[in-house]
Amino acid sequence: MKDRILDEQVDKVANMILDADRIVVFTGAGVSTESGISDFRSPGGLWDRYDPNDFLYQRFLSSPESREKYWEMNSELYNTLVDAKPNRAHYAVVELEKMEKLDCVITQNIDNLHQEAGLSDDKVIELHGTNMWVNCLDCHKRYSRKEIQERLEKGIKVPYCDECGGILKPATISFGQAMPYEETREAEMRSRSSDLFMVIGSSLVVQPAAMMPMYAKEGGGKLVIINMESTSYDRNADVVLRGKAGDIMGRIVDRVKCKG
Ligand code: APR
Ligand code: ZN
């Protein structure tokens, strides 16, 4: 019974994709868990293992000791990120670009897996930045995260800028840090002008990212949510598919290809 309902929903979303021209895909950590990267709020997720307060921007700036703790945690997470490979959900989104249906992907993720799956860089808006780079907060010199990882693994506890001695931080947006202005503005605009907005693997609890589905509805677009758990936006969605992103997105794209 459950699978029959899911199959009907897959069929309905496939038809919506065929009718759409400007699809925006919005992803959260749930699109990458099948690649081996923990999400934040599922049982056993990152916020079960680390204290989110240790990742606050103000705390990071406040002392070398808090930066040492931050880099220790970030270094542990880095190795998981760097070994991760895109999964079926990431590749299904690339298929939407190949069908020339994808306007863009707005992602909260910092893992670069959409790009590694083959999505064009200019199709990805990284609302929460990326873990691939590290910036100097003073002179804005940029380093690869790989280079900084090598320093950490050689025993450096807190890396500083070679150029000016300034504080180095991964190019991710921490709680309390200003959102990237251009990316946020662009994401709102693309959400409002989308005719189909697909949320994949997000609890939709962190603002302002979680406003995007509402912007899409305000703009007259259809809203599809693919998630393991319910979200507070489910009641606004045209279709809610409960299950694993890789399986569901794989089935949807296969159905579009059959119908196309
Ligand atoms: N398939 C579908 N859904 C999944 C899967 C999966 N394989 N794995 C997890 N999920 C769902 C979970 O049920 C959860 O509702 O994905 C959602 C992930 O939610 P969060 O862990 O809250 O992640 P996200 O929504 O991306 O968090 C937003 O919060 O901590 C900050 O900056 C961080 O970008 C992050 C932001
Ligand atoms: Zn510097």
Side-chain angles (χ1 to χ4, degrees), residues 135-143 160-168:
N135 294 321
C136 170
L137 301 181
D138 296 319
C139 73
H140 307 296
K141 179 173 162 55
R142 188 162 95 162
Y143 299 77
Y160 289 95
C161 178
D162 302 339
E163 213 77 3
C164 73
I167 294 175
L168 296 187

Side-chain angles (χ1 to χ4, degrees), residues 219-230:
K222 292 206 178 308
L223 175 59
V224 170
I225 298 178
I226 299 166
N227 206 52
M228 294 272 271
E229 308 280 334
S230 62

